[in-house]
Every structure is written in C-alpha cells, then in structure tokens.
Amino acid sequence: MSGNIGLLNDVLAKARTENRAALVGYLPAGFPTVDGGVRAMTAMIEGGCDIVEVGLPHSDPVLDGPVIQTADDIALRGGIRIADVIRTVGEVHRATGAPILCMTYWNPVDHYGAERFAADLAAAGGAGCILPDLPVEESDAWRKAAEQHGLATVFVVAPSSRDERLAKITAAGSGFVYAASLMGVTGTRESVGREAQDLVRRTRAVTELPVCVGLGVSDAVQAAEVAGFADGVIVGSAFVKRLLDAPDPESGLAAVRALAGDLAAGVRRG
C-alpha cells in the first residue's frame, strides 16, 4: 500500500493558493495515553491544524526541550511501542483525512528496520517521516524505502547550515523542509527571531520545496509573524503544555482545540 505523500503535497499547495502558511501541529504518541493522544491529535485537526506530526517517544530526545521530554517520559512509562505509534498515525488519518507524519530519531527506525518501518507507516496511511538526526549521507536506505512506499522524507535544517549544505540536504528531501528557527531544543519562546527568516530565505534559494518553521512558536502572534515569511508554521511544545496543564482529559482536549483555532487564525493573518 502506498503512503500519502501526495496528500501532503496537496495540502501544502492548497494553503499556498489560499495565500497563507499551513499549520502543522505536533504531539508525541502515547501522551497522555495512546487513545488520549489520538483524541488530542484529532482535536488539533478539528481546531484548524492542516497537518499533524506524531512523535515517536525516545529515551534520549536530543532535539526536545523539557516540555516534550516530560510528555515522552509519560508515554514511555505507559509502555508505548512502535506499533502504537503506527496505530496512532492510522487512527488520526482515518478520523480526519489529514496528512499525518511521524517524527522520530533514527535509532528506533534503524532497529525496527527501515523497509519494515516505511511499509508499516504507509499501510497506516502515513504521509512521511521527519528524521532530525539522520545525516543525509547515511539516508540512502531510508529514502529508497520511503520513495517505494509513497512517503515523504523531511530533513531538518538549522541556522548554522551553510548554503552548500542546505542545497545538499534539500536535494535529498521531499514533502517539505523543516527549518529549525534557532539553535537549541524545542520549547516556547518570547520571540522566534530573525534567524528563522534568514534561514527560510537561504533555503528557498536552493529548493522549491515548501519551508516550514518550527521551534518556539506558541501563540497566534508568533504564528502570524512566521507565516509572513514561511510556507508552514510548526507548533509542538505549546500543544503539549496545554495537555500537561489541564485538570482533566476533556479540559485538555478543549484547550488543544482552542489553541489550534487561535494559531489557525494567526497563520491566516500572516
């Protein structure tokens, strides 16, 4: 069965024709529970997210700040397995019809088997995979499997990436480019900063792939700022924090849905 890279491309293209950035939401699978995560991700789409990234919880999440680390720990202590992550992707896609990606460090995929992971993700209706720590030089096996199964391979670029490096990374990727807005880990910040705008400009100079910005966006004002220069706005920690701070599951779902609505309005202002 083929994955949904075509759906991902269509959704990003539709946002562009509407003269706005796409809104991409992130939550780790298994948080607060597997079923609770499915409900929360569905609420994100209902609230206004165009795309969802399902995180594969990892014991050593080097890119993630304390908020997502806390959620990952809850999921891991709950016994999350790769099969649960794949199931989450499938259930959210079937419930919403939206493109759903998996965001994961490379080690779990390598251990599971690149071909097997790509096949299972595609069979669940997944649109692709974001692999923040996979060097492009070591990505051939994964990219071959992903292409065979109709999945996007999204690489991460950073402000430290030189122009020639940006060209090499983006030439190997598909779907979109994940632009980390600043050096550091995930988490909400007071300002996204000028580094992100410069990185988007330099990335667009070497690729026609959409460029989506993540790391730091937490409210509609910041979403509008980033939407003014990027093709997509990625929000993760702010959604996780809404669930962590909620007194009960239903309140958490309402908070996630409301945040998605605010951010969706923000990307349209941008």
Side-chain angles (χ1 to χ4, degrees), residues 36-159:
V38 169
R39 294 179 68 197
M41 294 173 201
T42 301
M44 288 161 63
I45 296 290
E46 292 170 350
C49 285
D50 300 290
I51 300 162
V52 163
E53 299 174 7
V54 177
L56 195 159
H58 195 272
S59 56
D60 186 25
V62 293
L63 184 70
D64 297 311
V67 172
I68 291 177
Q69 285 185 26
T70 298
D72 276 7
D73 184 60
I74 290 170
L76 290 167
R77 285 191 283 112
I80 188 76
R81 295 291 183 267
I82 288 180
D84 299 313
V85 178
I86 299 293
R87 176 164 72 86
T88 297
V89 170
E91 291 193 9
V92 178
H93 172 63
R94 286 192 295 273
T96 64
I100 313 297
L101 298 101
C102 179
M103 185 166 187
T104 176
Y105 297 99
W106 175 243
N107 182 263
V109 178
D110 190 36
H111 183 74
Y112 192 81
E115 166 63 29
R116 178 186 174 201
F117 191 90
D120 288 354
L121 184 61
C129 208
I130 304 166
L131 298 154
D133 66 339
L134 177 62
V136 66
E137 293 83 0
E138 301 172 18
S139 67
D140 284 354
W142 165 258
R143 287 191 288 123
K144 182 178 179 181
E147 184 176 359
Q148 179 182 349
H149 291 287
L151 298 171
T153 296
V154 178
F155 287 109
V156 178
V157 298

Side-chain angles (χ1 to χ4, degrees), residues 16 20-21 179-181 192-202 204 210-214 217 221-233 267 270:
R16 179 173 288 185
R20 66 174 179 89
S181 65
V192 177
R194 293 182 180 177
E195 283 187 320
Q197 190 166 0
D198 182 62
L199 176 58
V200 170
R201 178 189 60 77
R202 293 194 298 118
R204 281 181 169 163
V211 183
C212 301
V213 171
V217 177
V221 172
Q222 291 176 335
E225 176 191 354
V226 174
F229 59 81
D231 300 297
V233 179
V267 300

